[in-house]
Amino acid sequence: MLQLGIKELAKYPFLAETGDYLRDKGFNLEQLSDPDWKPVVEKAYGRIVVATTGQIYGGDLENPDLEILSFVIAIILLKSAGISTLNRRFSLAEARRAERYLEQGLNALQKDRSILENLKLKEESIQSSLKIIQDQFSIRVKMEDDRLKISIADYLRRAAHFNEREWKLVNRRVENGYVYLSSHEIVRLVRKELDVYINSKIQSVRVSFIPETFRERVEDLVLLAKKFTTTVIVSSDYPPCVKHAIEVMDRGENLPHSGRFMLATYLLAKGQTIEQITPLFKNAPDYNERITKYQLEHIAGSSGKATKYSCPSCEKLKSENLCFAIPECDGIINPVQFGTRRKTNA
Amino acid sequence: MGQGERQMLEKNVNFVEAALKEYYFNNFELIHVSSRTSEREFGYQKFNSGMVRHITIKNDKDLHFLLMTQMPSDVYCSNGYYSFPNLPMSEKDWKEADLIFDIDAKDLKLACRKDHTCFKCNSCQNVNEQSSKCVKCNSDKFDVISVNCQNCINEAKKEVKKLVQVLTEDLAINEEKILVYFSGNEGFHIHVINSEYQSLDSRERADLADYIMFNGVIPETMGISRQNNSKTSLPDIGERGWRGRVAREIFGSKSKRPKIIQEILLGGYSNFQSRLEEMRQKIGVRIDPKVTMDIHRIFRLGGSINSKSGLSKISCNNLESFDPFSDACVLGDEKVEILANCPISFILKNKKYGPYVSETISVPKHAAVYMICKGLADVPQDSEN
Ligand code: SF4
Ligand SMILES: [Zn+2]
Ligand SMILES: [Zn+2]
């Protein structure tokens, strides 16, 4: 097994190797109580705060010890606060951060390595990207004349669960059992697993005692979390177009008006109340509670002119690029019909 | 489904059951359980009754015993492998499943279809050549019955060849792992065993099916976007995969290429999109996606008889020369009498039958079973067997 250098570990501090690193260095929790460690605790706290805003913590690879330790302490803080929303946001942000490094490593692989200046460092970053993708996600990334490829089965296991058309296998370069992808696309494929993996790492950590110096920041985290108490439940019975819209909103990305309209009318048609629906729009970049509520009431027909809007047809949604039909969509003309018709099996 | 659900008269059931039993009894050496038998779910049907599923069959002997004692009309075996194949679905513990494909001439909707299709009235059983209304009783409820057709089979064979090409070239599946069977009626079943696609779930297989059918392609994939198109991103005839196939389809020869490129670039995005859609009909492989995405299907067992026709689901070693209406026509040749009502003609073992207008005829047993299974003949009143 290839041992990661400390610089590499600073990129991926969630790996099991971090345990070995801490043991080697002889760190323990009691030691961390020392006020000398305050700056590291602050850095750890900052790392969490950045994560909760949906941004990606930049970090400083020139100081790998600090990087690794602040990650470890961040986890201790999170465990002490014990709030799963924070854990989720943190693991998501850390996953995004790791994605960047994985992508850099794969990029380096594609370039002609002989002209790179710091050959050894590049080599390490390539090797760690390949190793992590293979060890954690069982994908062997191969290279063929400067192009990266993975097996079709490995590709389908992830991409078939995405909704966007460009991820359909038919829209990929496929040859001889392989799918050709950019480094960015390969990393995008494992995004979810990476997130789940980091989250499970956080879950599995046991903290026996909390150093006194941490208490204040733990309390701050509890306060911080109050802002994010509403979480969205995505039902597996929703049609793909609705799921997609919820995911986009949840990621805090921008969903066009037509998409929001579809989402609202669909959920209203399914008997949800305006109060239940409003939080869905919370993560939107342009969220304004009052306006959102007003708009929803308008759509529901409960304010002003009492026109009740119904969910747009599949055909309309298709023309707006909001449809991500799957075979279960066969034979329906409106998303509200999704899942209500049993399919007969021959 | 239509045909399968039709009830069969008891005298017909007895006759066909006996013919199948006789065939199986004399040909045990041809009737085998599938590989990795203990991990498979088996199922069978009897005439005029429902499906029995969730059973295990240990070996060839047990299978032969079942054929002799239950006299099933049809026998099935799962494409899936389970830890506990005989438990209810939720407790089976699915491990993996063979990739399977169904190519049915009915789905090809060829022009010749109307020439070998007839319509059996649900109220008076009269067999009509058209489906507007029954000439005897004016009813308009029919079972659609089609008999075999060389053209349909040839077209289905072309689809099989296209499929095998995509499987071997694009998916890198070794040809030895691809087993091609005649379905026993109007098409082909293709089983892929032991491939690296075994563990894919249903949704993943659905996307694989879309790939094979050339479904859901966007113009961008072929290098046409909504703006700023240049000829450099268009596919080349030497490319592999769908880009290559599309290029060969639209460019044909080298000399025409510049002119065609001009047309495409001028035509724009949505023109090209509809062009791709048209092309899908021709170059996409016409499989039934519902079959391919099903990881729990019980699929007709190779070597068994299909009760829609009395023909065998037989393996085709040489697709080119394979003639299902001889090679899969395995039941006895001795003459029997039946009362036929079959307005369209068909060929079995190079002999032409029909049309027959309510006449008692003497034909080889395989042809008699064929017509009875299709609902186009009955065993005469006084002669059972
Ligand atoms: S077919 Fe209809 S329900 Fe299915 S994804 Fe498209 S718009 Fe939604
Ligand atoms: Zn009639
Ligand atoms: Zn035909």
Side-chain angles (χ1 to χ4, degrees), chain B residues 10-11 21 23 30 65 76 91 104 109 123 125 144 158 176 204 226 240 284 298 343 345 362 374 378 383:
Chain B
E10 199 182 327
K11 58 184 181 181
K21 184 172 177 177
Y23 167 73
L30 298 178
F65 183 75
Y76 305 90
E91 295 161 37
D104 191 333
K109 305 201 174 70
S123 353
Q125 314 299 316
V144 180
K158 285 186 194 159
E176 284 151 26
E204 294 151 12
R226 289 190 191 271
R240 304 223 259 165
I298 48 173
S345 62
S362 175
K374 291 276 176 189
D378 290 318
S383 72

Side-chain angles (χ1 to χ4, degrees), chain A residues 151-153 156-157 160-163 165-178 321 326-328 343 345-346, chain B residues 169-172 196-197 199-201 203-204 206-208 210-211 214-218 221 239-243 293-294 297:
Chain A
S151 81
I152 294 175
L156 284 175
R157 271 189 269 276
H161 302 272
F162 296 173
N163 288 315
R165 286 205 142 196
E166 50 270 31
W167 287 101
K168 287 185 75 58
L169 187 62
V170 76
N171 291 314
R172 293 285 151 187
R173 303 249 174 151
V174 174
E175 279 176 32
N176 208 14
Y178 289 97
N321 289 328
I326 54 172
E328 281 86 344
K343 298 225 297 183
N345 242 349
Chain B
E169 292 178 7
D170 298 19
L171 305 192
E196 67 165 311
Y197 304 96
S199 62
L200 295 183
D201 72 13
R203 177 126 183 224
E204 294 151 12
D207 195 46
L208 194 62
D210 275 340
Y211 180 85
F214 194 51
N215 236 348
V217 66
I218 51 177
T221 304
E239 276 183 65
R240 304 223 259 165
W242 283 117
R243 279 176 58 92
M293 64 186 281
D294 194 344
R297 179 163 286 249

